[in-house]
Amino acid sequence: MTRALIVGNWKMNLNRKESQYLASAVVQQAEVCPAVELVVCPPTVHLVSVAEVIAPSKVRLGAQNMYHRDNGAFTGEVSARMLRDVNCRYVILGHSERRHLLGETNEQVNLKTLAAIEAGLTPIVCVGEQLQDRQAGRTYKVIAEQCQHSLAHLSSQQITRIVIAYEPVWAIGTGKVATPEQAEEVHGDLRKMLEERYNIQIAYGVRLLYGGSVKSDNAGVLLSQPNVDGALVGGASLEAGDFCAIATAGSHS
Ligand code: PGA
């Protein structure tokens, strides 16, 4: 049994002081929840100051995005190596806000995934269907396509270095959480896809997170699904109490 992985995606929120305050509250929680791995993903400008706060603890640092090249004339971008240099262990890639608001493609997510692994980061690759896809019965097709292209060219060694987050777009920031059955169905499909492409051992070695309106009152039942290995939490990760309650639910799952 692997420890549940609970990741807080702070998105474009909080100033420096607020980030440090929230990070120290998460550090305190990590001490009472040793059965969970906690990751915080602050905005890029706060990575260094949050890294200082969490340094003595087991809380890990994650970024919300990166560029696939190491360095060069790419104004406004940061590389995987730069993220490693400030002690990031994780990086969220292909979040639906980047895919749908900023036009990020599967091909870009794939390049970033490969570059992140190469630099020693663990990519958290997000996939998920839109409401119209689900209503039209296309959930499986959309997710299979995203996986096929976003995770192209990954060797069996590389695939075990990633985390996949299933985040139905209609559930993100809406308060409309997937039912535990809906989440488990897609997670089971993801597991099968990995098994078909690699093997059963590898399929069970890749951690699968659910994301989309995870709150303290629904985390327990979601995290107790057999194929849900953790959660990617947006809004509720900005409140130390809520995030900690989700972590506690993860430690009991
Ligand atoms: P939410 O966001 O928890 O606010 O729905 C999840 C995410 O975007 O990762």
Side-chain angles (χ1 to χ4, degrees), residues 9 11 95 97 167 171-174 211-215 232-236:
N9 175 10
K11 307 193 181 183
H95 188 279
E97 284 147 19
E167 297 206 305
I172 296 177
T174 59
S213 295
V214 176
K215 308 280 179 229
L232 180 53
V233 186

Side-chain angles (χ1 to χ4, degrees), residues 126-188:
C126 303
V127 295
E129 83 287 4
Q130 301 195 63
L131 187 58
Q132 62 267 32
D133 299 321
R134 178 162 281 274
Q135 286 169 339
R138 285 197 305 262
T139 301
Y140 180 88
K141 187 169 176 282
V142 168
I143 287 166
E145 262 173 33
Q146 286 174 335
C147 284
Q148 189 192 342
H149 299 294
S150 298
L151 305 177
H153 318 297
L154 266 72
S155 68
S156 31
Q157 216 188 357
Q158 287 169 321
I159 195 80
T160 54
R161 301 276 316 281
I162 75 159
V163 173
I164 301 175
Y166 167 54
E167 297 206 305
V169 179
W170 48 269
I172 296 177
T174 59
K176 287 188 199 136
V177 65
T179 65
E181 293 76 23
Q182 287 171 326
E184 175 58 20
E185 185 183 14
V186 174
H187 282 230

Side-chain angles (χ1 to χ4, degrees), residues 55 69 71 95 111 113 160-161 225 240:
R69 299 283 294 270
N71 48 50
H95 188 279
L111 289 171
T113 303
T160 54
R161 301 276 316 281
Q225 300 306 305

Side-chain angles (χ1 to χ4, degrees), residues 8-11 13-14 22 233-243:
N9 175 10
W10 296 357
K11 307 193 181 183
N13 292 296
L14 308 179
L22 179 56
V233 186
S237 72
L238 295 171
E239 284 295 328
D242 288 346
F243 191 60

